[in-house]
Amino acid sequence: MKKKLIFILFGILLMTFNSCENDEQIIYCQEILVLQKLAVNYFDENGNDLLFSNNPEFDVENISIYKESGGQKQEINYGINEETKSISIHLNQAPEGIFFIELEPNVIDEIRFEGILDDTRLPCEEYNIVKLFQNEMEVSYNNELSVWELKK
């Protein structure tokens, strides 16, 4: 019984010293796959919406978004946001990348993005897309709609 009491007291004493040793709060950032969302929509030269208008030129339900790796297509998840009238593409966080949007057979756009590391979100930094290119042409970002405006 005396040995158990000494063992318990030693354990309590050890925990007390460990708890006072480091008062800094430890924050763990996610080391798992983090996605960044990219909102896009297609417009013609006159600014007409080609996906979400009353009579759209392309059926948003039938588009395909993918990247290529080793000659194979790998589908990229995306959502359709009817409220903001945009396609929300879910990309792995990266400083740059290339993917494709297939609006219909033989109507395919190569999309390249560039990002910067946002260190204002310390302690867990993340990439924000700052440039987008559609078939090597730079795409403009509409701050009011929070959407990248692709042209057709």
Side-chain angles (χ1 to χ4, degrees), residues 25-67:
Q25 186 178 22
I26 298 173
I27 299 173
Y28 295 99
C29 297
Q30 295 178 344
E31 294 293 331
I32 59 171
L33 179 65
V34 178
L35 298 177
Q36 57 189 0
K37 292 185 181 179
L38 174 68
V40 300
N41 195 359
Y42 277 89
F43 299 91
D44 66 13
E45 298 101 25
N46 299 323
N48 297 316
D49 188 329
L50 301 177
L51 298 176
F52 296 96
S53 64
N54 291 335
N55 190 15
E57 185 169 334
F58 303 103
D59 184 357
V60 72
E61 298 289 336
N62 292 330
I63 66 172
S64 174
I65 302 175
Y66 60 91
K67 64 181 181 176

Side-chain angles (χ1 to χ4, degrees), residues 5-140:
L5 184 58
I6 291 173
F7 182 70
I8 291 172
L9 288 174
F10 180 72
I12 292 171
L13 185 63
L14 187 61
M15 286 188 302
T16 303
F17 284 124
N18 280 341
S19 67
C20 296
E21 192 173 295
N22 188 358
D23 288 338
E24 292 182 25
Q25 186 178 22
I26 298 173
I27 299 173
Y28 295 99
C29 297
Q30 295 178 344
E31 294 293 331
I32 59 171
L33 179 65
V34 178
L35 298 177
Q36 57 189 0
K37 292 185 181 179
L38 174 68
V40 300
N41 195 359
Y42 277 89
F43 299 91
D44 66 13
E45 298 101 25
N46 299 323
N48 297 316
D49 188 329
L50 301 177
L51 298 176
F52 296 96
S53 64
N54 291 335
N55 190 15
E57 185 169 334
F58 303 103
D59 184 357
V60 72
E61 298 289 336
N62 292 330
I63 66 172
S64 174
I65 302 175
Y66 60 91
K67 64 181 181 176
E68 291 183 345
S69 179
Q72 300 289 321
K73 287 184 180 181
Q74 295 177 337
E75 293 291 322
I76 295 176
N77 290 330
Y78 68 92
I80 298 169
N81 190 331
E82 294 285 345
E83 184 179 320
T84 61
K85 296 185 178 185
S86 66
I87 301 168
S88 181
I89 303 167
H90 308 193
L91 300 170
N92 295 345
Q93 272 199 348
E96 59 186 24
I98 296 175
F99 63 94
F100 301 88
I101 299 176
E102 184 174 337
L103 296 169
E104 57 186 35
N106 300 319
V107 181
I108 302 170
D109 288 317
E110 178 185 274
I111 309 297
R112 182 172 56 89
F113 64 90
E114 295 177 5
I116 59 170
L117 190 61
D118 181 1
D119 59 1
T120 62
R121 300 180 65 88
L122 292 175
C124 301
E125 303 160 329
E126 64 182 35
Y127 281 100
N128 287 326
I129 295 172
V130 293
K131 286 188 178 181
L132 195 72
F133 298 88
Q134 174 187 8
N135 303 322
E136 299 303 320
M137 298 283 295
E138 191 164 355
V139 176
S140 63

